């Protein structure tokens, strides 16, 4: 199970910051940002191999389930 920042969204935001810098903005003037979109990914194959039962309510909330 993994809960973390959405990688694609982080790359998208990084591209926007690079665009601002290439257009002349000073890096020191750009505010620090934190991720705003997070994903919950559950690997059922590994959970079954470890003998862990994942509750259906948690599976329903997951953004991605690996079977």
């Amino acid at each position: 199970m993994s809960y973390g920042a959405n990688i694609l969204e982080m790359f998208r935001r990084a591209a926007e910051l690079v665009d601002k810098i290439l257009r002349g903005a000073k890096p020191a003037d750009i505010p620090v940002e934190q991720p705003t979109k997070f994903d919950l990914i559950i690997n059922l194959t590994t959970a079954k191999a470890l003998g862990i039962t994942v509750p259906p309510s948690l599976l329903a909330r997951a953004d991605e389930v690996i079977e």
Side-chain angles (χ1 to χ4, degrees):
M1 184 164 51
S2 170
Y3 184 72
N6 183 299
I7 300 296
L8 294 176
E9 184 66 24
M10 290 177 56
F11 284 138
R12 192 173 297 121
R13 292 297 306 147
E16 291 174 9
L17 294 176
V18 168
D19 179 58
K20 287 181 183 180
I21 293 169
L22 292 176
R23 291 179 187 265
K26 294 180 184 177
D29 295 338
I30 298 174
V32 175
E33 297 181 11
Q34 293 183 347
T36 56
K37 187 168 192 287
F38 295 87
D39 289 335
L40 173 63
I41 301 171
I42 300 174
N43 189 330
L44 282 180
T45 307
T46 303
K48 288 178 184 176
L50 295 173
I52 299 171
T53 303
V54 181
S57 60
L58 188 58
L59 290 174
R61 292 181 179 175
D63 295 302
E64 183 180 347
V65 177
I66 301 169
E67 295 187 46

